[in-house]
Amino acid sequence: MKRIACIMALVFLLASPAFAAEDPPALAAALFPPVKGELNTPGAASKTFTEYKDAKTWLDGYAKDKGVTLTSLGTTQGGNQIWAIRLPNAKAKMRIMVFARIHGNEPGSSEAALQLIHSLIRGELKNTRKDSEFLIIPFANPDGSIVNKRQNAAGMDLNRDYTTNNQIETRTLSKAFREYDPHILVDLHEYTVWGRLGDKSCPYDLLVAGVNEPNVPKALVKHVGVYYDAVVGALKAKGMRGGLYELLSMDKESGKLRVAESATTFVSAKNFLGMPSRVSFIFEVRGIGLGNQHYERRTQAGYTAVGAMIRTAVANADKTKAVLAETQKEIQAATKWELSRKPKNEERMYPLTDAATNAIKDVPAVFVNRTGGTPGETVTIPAAYVIPAGRKDIVERLEYMGVKVGKLKKAANLDVDVQTIESVTPAGELYKGFPLYKVTTSVKQGKRSFAKGDYVVSTRQRNRLYLQVLEASSPSGFATLGALGDKAGAEAPVYRVMKELPKGSW
């Protein structure tokens, strides 16, 4: 009898909302009914998310239309192609890029991208092509998509590899970002519904986060708000809910909900991809773990949000370009880089769906405010960095970002700031496969000899903010991500040159 009772208890536990693969029927009916709107994807007829293998034939059909190009950006580790639809326009004011499914277990993102492709070529968004051009990648991680796994074929989370570019897929995507150089960039995802908050879950159909790296000028952050308001308003008009992308968890000690602002470091894709002055967003559709449940609603949420971004970009093209240009000037004029920020905790309320009542209820929460926190380590921006020729691996990572690198034309003895790594401590995994380290450093002025052919990286270039990765103590720098490969006591192979190098020396 005890054994039967234990089995029944386990069955009840696994059937509870905290372990549910889908929303309970009553909650789904009350809070997430289907939304109106025609869908034109391969999976629309059966209300199942489109498989990678079925997408190519569908894309081939659209590629026959005038002004549409279907290309492979590259081949994955598993031998699959990363397909992209390009809608070129030589007179475009706005270059807009949308990519989806960097995590293979987030099918709603791909479906929204496929619906977007239809709409831009044959549907309601076709007129937006008059003043804009588009690059759309519906399956950024084909290998993971095929097996419904977050990671790529090597078991790596590609969304944590934009800085180091260890994987062939992120190198391929980085090349696309660099060459296409969009004004507007949207990274489509889905977020986990059940499992973290017991019988409660996040009620938003789509979460939105724009660039919030501390060194990004406030004018761009403010302008991003115009797009955010448009997205939330469009979702509301369709009977859906949109909100800020914040990370939810339950505090183990207090039992209170913890709401953390999305990351402010380079490791966050929206920040990394927004560094060269872009309106960069991550969209998170409510979806992971739901299977095919809410197929229409999830697809419509992602598509509606991206459509609102596009319409806003078209309507505000001149203003957006002016803000981006001003942002560049401000970045170039900056003399300091803030490498870290200490967040502050604040009390607030947060809405959650309650499976016991099938309603949305505000609950007390602790909000981890990162952008409103206290500035941490700040460094003076050098004129350049010098990197020994033997560390070509570092330079290659910079070049994937679009950073320009020169070489010394002759040997030189230079006054430099020497970054010494004092300690390197494993800080656990930064999601699957990528180790993260806590690095402490010291900096001393000194003279070092450099050879002809050693690399010079000037900070006087557009992608200036990317160069923070060369600061050994940066929380999202090469050292923290294990890309410098140096042990405690070693000099970091990246030397700060505080004064401009003589003209013609490199």
Side-chain angles (χ1 to χ4, degrees):
M1 292 295 293
K2 289 184 177 180
R3 183 180 180 184
I4 293 175
C6 288
I7 292 174
M8 291 300 293
L10 179 61
V11 170
F12 177 78
L13 184 64
L14 293 176
S16 69
F19 293 88
E22 296 185 348
D23 283 325
L27 181 123
L31 298 177
F32 301 100
V35 295
K36 295 181 179 180
E38 181 182 358
L39 295 177
N40 306 89
T41 68
S46 60
K47 296 183 181 180
T48 57
F49 292 105
T50 301
E51 298 287 346
Y52 171 80
K53 63 181 177 60
D54 298 324
K56 176 57 165 50
T57 301
W58 185 85
L59 291 170
D60 282 338
Y62 284 85
K64 295 176 182 178
D65 286 35
K66 184 178 180 181
V68 181
T69 303
L70 175 64
T71 58
S72 171
L73 300 178
T75 305
T76 67
Q77 296 190 48
N80 294 297
Q81 303 301 311
I82 301 176
W83 298 110
I85 283 283
R86 178 94 181 247
L87 307 176
N89 181 355
K91 298 180 180 180
K93 290 184 177 180
M94 288 276 102
R95 292 185 301 277
I96 300 171
M97 181 173 179
V98 178
F99 70 109
R101 204 79 173 268
I102 195 70
H103 291 145
N105 64 335
E106 300 173 6
S109 64
S110 290
E111 208 71 10
L114 293 173
Q115 178 62 26
L116 175 65
I117 289 170
H118 165 81
S119 184
L120 285 170
I121 298 174
R122 302 177 186 173
E124 63 180 351
L125 291 175
K126 188 174 181 179
N127 288 339
T128 64
R129 292 169 57 188
K130 180 181 178 181
D131 296 316
S132 303
E133 64 174 299
F134 299 86
L135 182 67
I136 306 162
I137 306 169
F139 293 87
N141 176 12
D143 296 352
S145 301
I146 290 169
V147 295
N148 196 38
K149 297 292 185 183
R150 179 183 178 95
Q151 297 81 19
N152 71 343
M156 298 297 183
D157 186 335
L158 298 175
N159 204 43
R160 299 299 182 270
D161 191 41
Y162 292 117
T163 307
T164 51
N165 279 286
N166 288 313
Q167 303 300 301
I168 188 171
E169 293 89 350
T170 41
R171 292 195 292 271
T172 298
L173 291 170
S174 291
K175 184 173 184 289
F177 298 138
R178 184 174 69 248
E179 293 180 350
Y180 186 64
D181 191 19
H183 300 100
I184 312 291
L185 192 145
V186 179
D187 180 11
L188 273 168
H189 289 255
E190 288 194 294
Y191 72 87
T192 301
V193 178
W194 296 104
R196 297 175 179 173
L197 308 175
D199 63 353
K200 296 178 176 59
S201 68
C202 184
Y204 292 112
D205 290 283
L206 185 131
L207 301 172
V208 186
V211 59
N212 63 346
E213 205 274 342
N215 298 282
V216 172
K218 292 180 179 179
L220 177 55
V221 176
K222 182 179 179 181
H223 188 60
V224 160
V226 174
Y227 287 84
Y228 173 83
D229 291 343
V231 168
V232 173
L235 289 167
K236 185 177 180 181
K238 292 274 288 187
M240 294 181 284
R241 295 176 291 275
L244 281 174
Y245 176 36
E246 296 169 321
L247 307 176
L248 308 184
S249 61
M250 297 303 293
D251 186 87
K252 294 180 179 179
E253 294 183 4
S254 66
K256 185 177 287 189
L257 177 67
R258 183 177 184 270
V259 180
E261 184 181 6
S262 62
T264 57
T265 64
F266 279 10
V267 175
S268 172
K270 68 177 187 306
N271 286 331
F272 182 82
L273 298 173
M275 284 298 101
S277 298
R278 297 185 182 119
V279 174
S280 171
F281 272 99
I282 182 171
F283 288 173
E284 295 268 356
V285 175
R286 186 180 187 274
I288 295 180
L290 296 180
N292 286 307
Q293 189 183 31
H294 308 318
Y295 167 84
E296 295 121 320
R297 192 175 180 106
R298 287 156 66 185
T299 305
Q300 288 285 5
Y303 165 68
T304 299
V306 178
M309 285 285 293
I310 290 171
R311 290 187 177 96
T312 304
V314 170
N316 295 274
D318 292 338
K319 176 63 176 177
T320 294
K321 292 180 76 171
V323 169
L324 296 183
E326 187 60 34
T327 297
Q328 268 297 302
K329 290 180 181 179
E330 192 170 336
I331 288 173
Q332 292 300 320
T335 59
K336 300 284 186 179
W337 276 337
E338 182 184 319
L339 298 183
S340 62
R341 183 166 290 196
K342 184 178 180 180
K344 63 179 179 180
N345 291 344
E346 302 170 344
E347 297 290 329
R348 61 180 267 194
M349 303 296 286
Y350 192 89
L352 291 178
T353 63
D354 189 336
T357 61
N358 301 319
I360 298 174
K361 181 180 179 181
D362 287 342
V363 300
V366 174
F367 174 53
V368 182
N369 186 341
R370 287 172 170 150
T371 56
T374 305
E377 181 181 1
T378 301
V379 297
T380 299
I381 298 174
Y385 293 93
V386 178
I387 301 171
R391 294 309 303 268
K392 186 178 179 180
D393 59 311
I394 299 174
V395 170
E396 287 177 340
R397 298 180 198 280
L398 293 172
E399 288 176 335
Y400 277 120
M401 299 176 190
V403 173
K404 295 180 181 179
V405 181
K407 292 183 179 181
L408 285 174
K409 293 182 178 180
K410 60 181 180 179
N413 293 320
L414 301 175
D415 293 316
V416 295
D417 281 1
V418 180
Q419 302 180 79
T420 298
I421 298 175
E422 300 293 342
S423 67
V424 180
T425 307
E429 285 191 345
L430 186 64
Y431 282 104
K432 299 290 184 179
F434 289 101
L436 180 67
Y437 302 93
K438 182 177 181 181
V439 179
T440 62
T441 65
S442 62
V443 179
K444 292 182 179 180
Q445 293 180 335
K447 201 175 267 294
R448 292 292 185 274
S449 297
F450 297 96
K452 176 182 178 181
D454 283 349
Y455 297 105
V456 179
V457 186
S458 171
T459 59
R460 307 296 186 251
Q461 54 185 296
R462 179 188 172 191
N463 291 354
R464 192 184 202 193
L465 287 178
Y466 280 142
L467 300 180
Q468 290 184 59
V469 297
L470 299 178
E471 292 293 328
S473 59
S474 172
S476 50
F478 286 160
T480 308
L481 296 169
L484 289 186
D486 292 292
K487 298 179 180 180
E491 289 184 7
V494 178
Y495 299 87
R496 299 178 189 156
V497 180
M498 303 311 293
K499 295 182 179 180
E500 294 285 352
L501 292 171
K503 187 176 182 180
S505 64
W506 61 281

